[in-house]
Amino acid sequence: MATTTHDKRIPRDSDSDYTREAADARRRFLKDQTGADLEHVTSYSFDPSILPGNIESFVGVAQVPLGVAGPLLVDGEHARGEFFVPLATAEGTLVASYNRGMKLLHEAGGVKVTVMDDVMQRAPAFLFDSARESRAFAQWLDDHFDEIKQAAETTTKSGKLRDIEKYSASRILFTRFNYTTGDAAGQNLTGKATAAACAWITAHHPAIRRFFLESNFATDKKSSQVNMLRTRGKRVVAEATIPDALFRRIMNSSTEVMFRARQVSNLGSFMSGVNNNGAHSANGITAMFIATGQDAANVAESSAAFIYAERHDNGDYYYSVTIPSLIVATYGGGTGLATQRECLELLGCYGDGKVRKFAEIVAATVLCGELSLGSAVVAEEWVDAHDLYGRNR
Amino acid sequence: MATTTHDKRIPRDSDSDYTREAADARRRFLKDQTGADLEHVTSYSFDPSILPGNIESFVGVAQVPLGVAGPLLVDGEHARGEFFVPLATAEGTLVASYNRGMKLLHEAGGVKVTVMDDVMQRAPAFLFDSARESRAFAQWLDDHFDEIKQAAETTTKSGKLRDIEKYSASRILFTRFNYTTGDAAGQNLTGKATAAACAWITAHHPAIRRFFLESNFATDKKSSQVNMLRTRGKRVVAEATIPDALFRRIMNSSTEVMFRARQVSNLGSFMSGVNNNGAHSANGITAMFIATGQDAANVAESSAAFIYAERHDNGDYYYSVTIPSLIVATYGGGTGLATQRECLELLGCYGDGKVRKFAEIVAATVLCGELSLGSAVVAEEWVDAHDLYGRNR
Amino acid sequence: MATTTHDKRIPRDSDSDYTREAADARRRFLKDQTGADLEHVTSYSFDPSILPGNIESFVGVAQVPLGVAGPLLVDGEHARGEFFVPLATAEGTLVASYNRGMKLLHEAGGVKVTVMDDVMQRAPAFLFDSARESRAFAQWLDDHFDEIKQAAETTTKSGKLRDIEKYSASRILFTRFNYTTGDAAGQNLTGKATAAACAWITAHHPAIRRFFLESNFATDKKSSQVNMLRTRGKRVVAEATIPDALFRRIMNSSTEVMFRARQVSNLGSFMSGVNNNGAHSANGITAMFIATGQDAANVAESSAAFIYAERHDNGDYYYSVTIPSLIVATYGGGTGLATQRECLELLGCYGDGKVRKFAEIVAATVLCGELSLGSAVVAEEWVDAHDLYGRNR
Amino acid sequence: MATTTHDKRIPRDSDSDYTREAADARRRFLKDQTGADLEHVTSYSFDPSILPGNIESFVGVAQVPLGVAGPLLVDGEHARGEFFVPLATAEGTLVASYNRGMKLLHEAGGVKVTVMDDVMQRAPAFLFDSARESRAFAQWLDDHFDEIKQAAETTTKSGKLRDIEKYSASRILFTRFNYTTGDAAGQNLTGKATAAACAWITAHHPAIRRFFLESNFATDKKSSQVNMLRTRGKRVVAEATIPDALFRRIMNSSTEVMFRARQVSNLGSFMSGVNNNGAHSANGITAMFIATGQDAANVAESSAAFIYAERHDNGDYYYSVTIPSLIVATYGGGTGLATQRECLELLGCYGDGKVRKFAEIVAATVLCGELSLGSAVVAEEWVDAHDLYGRNR
């Protein structure tokens, strides 16, 4: 390996770094260093001056193809009626597959969606001389909740400290500071608020020996059992009941084979230790996230899901998906960027008071995708099954 | 909820749907339906005729801001030397944070990276009259491996069936058909090959009662213990040893506090049931995935990671990250699109024979981000700690 | 297989089945059926009339060898001073190994133990027409907690309903009814109380479509993440700080190699998906459980544990074990049987108000066993390590 | 806390410690120290001279009540016909409940049982300068398997090294040395054999920097995902198909409500992170383990289980339990002790070549218990359900 001195700094204009010129200077630098041209990335339609707070060392944009699926019929508490869903992806058949599921569910009367919980957290850990002081501190947190809440909320308008969960191990108290965060996803907001709360706590509690602002108990950008149990972001349920005839007509499948495959998949999921006993919720979520300016890294945790299905005596198929840690925003982050805002507006979800509506649309979309891919897998099996049974019986 | 008839079909031009005109027709339709303008999404620099296989119902592009970090010094087997890493994100400080970590690791002599394994799978399940036939079938698979391999490989040039793992439960045999897939991520390839293999199997084994092409044992787009143990895509280790003085000078931290925080984080991770005992590998992975045309939905599984650290007597900090299921490609999917290809070329990773090089760069980037955020968290604690200790002792 | 009619009923004396005569009749029946003699099992020293509520179809006793280890020096809130610990086992070296650990910890000043939480639960699930009614029901439970508590507590003197945890998925609300249960383990008590509570609930809440008294969310006799997080039975921490010199003198080991092995073991534990990152807490727990009349099936969940260690600059080793779901009783079940009561009395733990004292002694014993086996493994490595290093360097 | 000097040693007769006299001396010592009488524990019927290798500091026996259930009708490959099952427990209704399940399954034609796999392991970890050497070592292990096998098997007659699994993370290679172990459970045997194998390995491979004989990847006495996937001890499936009419007649239940409850339980299990989606397999396993001289600490891992059920169109209920890590022996450990041997003989399972037969009987017993408790829970619900539905509809 050629060792090199670290003098090849990426250019930065300390006066005005968020300009086409600064971006171009960086592209030229990269060309000098690597020989690579970056031309297509210059095809952006907004003024880079809007970018502070979104990116550093800006050189242009990634152009991600955008398709649309729908109409999606949603029976939510915030989203009601038909929606056309923007999906940014380069994976062929994704849009078509979700679209097919939306058609099935539309004919079945739509997708009922409910936001069950809504909470974002930061998880500081506190270390003591022994477990006994840790236990006392847990009580102290309860006794001083109002003051802690006040300290936390000095740093934020939209964040409200709801409660503090406590998990003890050794001489450490792991906590989860749970907030409601309005229309923001809230990771930064809860970070600042919790830092302020901890400043108050460490100033007032004499027995704390160390504290750690993060301890892998909020598991930001990571999937965890604790978040699947206790919620991070939105916990959303999407559900529908689909007649067997619809499956046969639209999906070349049947609720009998769907349900049978579900049983095997449930067992496989339990044994493989997967965080989602469904098919591919990450596909729809990621495509919506990129389209609408969500933080796509949150797919790590937003991709967890629980499927629950019932087949009724009349052949109807009740099907539901629960997304326990869906991280979404209609304010802040990338939601205000040029194309991202347009995609939120397409859903009527840009700006204040829209985040639960958006969460409902995401979950409804996911349900459509689950039934679509689930049917496709089974439809193949269905065909093969006929051959098999013809031969075997 | 207003119920509606499903006559509002998204326009599709059956002759030539991948044109600006067809895209514009859809945008007009969406405007009619929702009142929303989609203007910025039209700012794309490529001909839509390249898009079949990447998207359906194309309406334009999402413009995702692209920054660059580096130089990243890599000591891989395929990637050797300095790299400038493209990161597509709208999350402020992400690029700066990875850049800071790259500086630290550059001064420490770079990041050593090794691809430990490379395997993509599809996981059919087979159901029998009883467990006993399932057990016999497991043996039968071994006895007929060559024929099965031949059947699978008729469908693909680059895919090679390496082995078949078997996991039994009840009267079902869950299998994992493990393939090497060249420079493609390989999910589609392995799907087709395994379908062909299963056609041969079901035609030749009389006792199979049902089979399911998927059973949630490959856990595509989902994080699972089985993939963390057995690998999906690339299993990559990035490692480095950093002197304490560097941490103090560059990071306002020390290896002592880093290591202490690591212990607490390890415990938190174990108890919370998280799939990653590190900080935020999903951030760097997602930003690189969007920039380079990877399937960002694979962040679901690519975000799993194992951190292992040692603090030596001289204060040096050995730090490593293992990514057990990194799904990457330098061929197929979105890798050939306009900006995506440019970003791969920036890394010298476009096209044939480049996928392990790319995997190494991703893992090296992740390591830099782990140390950067880890230091930042600890640096705050470090400051506060001084206050604490001044007061308490 | 010889098919047989089911006429070979095990004899039962409907008047007085708990007598030596009834037991002997069964033994003769078994001899007739199988040819096997059961002679040693007749060597019991108590009157079978005490057995109703403990066993059915009594034929005698299993004689499990009983050893004793100690003195164990405990610094608990309930257990204070030295104890001699009865261990029922047939596994050679188990008693000796725990004894060796007790010696180490005695010289180190004893084991500090703290009961962090104490709660037993039953987990009914409630099913509704949709998720929305499930969410409303969660609120309803809060609003009617006092009435529900009253209904539950009509069935028990010692059980107190503390709170109801709620976990939603699909149209189902999973709950955990959390009780304090005095000196009983409390599984039966909470079952009856929760059945009464659910009778009241289903009589008063019109929207419940089905309810299930158990749903695998209390995970009785099974290990689970939810119980490791939220406690089942007693959550107990045992901790100690041991000087390096003691390890060298007593254990032929050192804190440096212990701590190094701990790091590797932590990584192995995280990756293997184990419920305990320690060595073998199940050994000591099981032996104490059998000796003292605990329900040894609870080893399934009581064997979960979290180890957390620190090595200080002076070489001292801080070591702790957290047992998150230790199910113990000093009243009810087998605690009042002949030898079992004697063993509880040996610890001063028989009868009212002793259960936390007993929990403390169990956890202290576990800590001794962890350090003993941990040292033994490392001591071998230590020897081998010298060879290795002599050769390699 | 009264601090004390460590002079209170438990008496030990260095000449002949395994005598009634030595045991009595210890009991007198304990009486002196604690005031507690140990009288009932002296009621043992064997000569203590048989105990070396089973216990240290022997003072007597725990008398655990022993009941019997049956006849259990087994359709195994080794166990065929009717069995009367000894259960040592103090938990009331346990024997009766298993007995009821045995009656149900007897009428249904018995329990089909299959041992799917049989493997015991020890899991050394090897540490290298970097991941690259770790990867090379994995290949080296394959290349030298024959020599390693030879080294391992010098230490044992019954143990055979079958294969070595490899799991990499960081610069560490975690391995699982998998053995068949005849009629012994094999933990000690595999420990010795693997130590010998590692001595050979470390003597011949120059790049190993450290090795650890255990790394928490065999997870002895602990439940883990890796063992649930890859088997530890015996992997056994018990299965049966039960007509609906039998459930109604014997269980006051029906297959419809059983199956419905199973769906909810599967979801609860998945969400709670439990290692067993069934009811209470630990109960039967523990009671059989204590009765027959198994190491009851292995309940920690033997209690993991997978339930899989189907309800057929004619109402028949297919039900199966898979026990992936059942640790049993018919030789060694406590199996030769007085009452323990009698209980094995009652099953025709004492001595050579009997261990799979015994494993089959255990699994068949477990299945009976699952259906019995499952029905009981549902039967209550069934009654309540009628009230509910009368009211609600």
Side-chain angles (χ1 to χ4, degrees), chain C residues 124-136:
Chain C
F126 302 85
L127 190 145
F128 299 87
D129 283 342
S130 82
R132 230 163 271 176
E133 288 80 25
S134 164
R135 190 186 57 189

Side-chain angles (χ1 to χ4, degrees), chain C residues 4 82 93 202 209 389 391, chain D residues 82 202 209-210 389 391:
Chain C
T4 58
E82 294 182 322
T93 78
T202 53
R209 284 295 164 261
Y389 290 111
R391 180 166 57 77
Chain D
E82 294 182 322
T202 53
R209 286 295 163 258
R210 302 189 196 289
Y389 289 109
R391 179 166 57 78

Side-chain angles (χ1 to χ4, degrees), chain B residues 269-289:
Chain B
S269 301
F270 188 66
M271 191 155 59
S272 67
V274 71
N275 69 352
N276 177 338
N277 63 331
H280 68 142
S281 61
N283 273 330
I285 289 172
T286 306
M288 289 190 74
F289 274 23

Side-chain angles (χ1 to χ4, degrees), chain C residues 301-317:
Chain C
E301 60 223 281
S302 300
S303 57
F306 306 118
I307 300 293
Y308 175 76
E310 297 172 6
R311 185 168 179 257
H312 297 164
D313 287 342
N314 65 357
D316 279 5
Y317 201 38

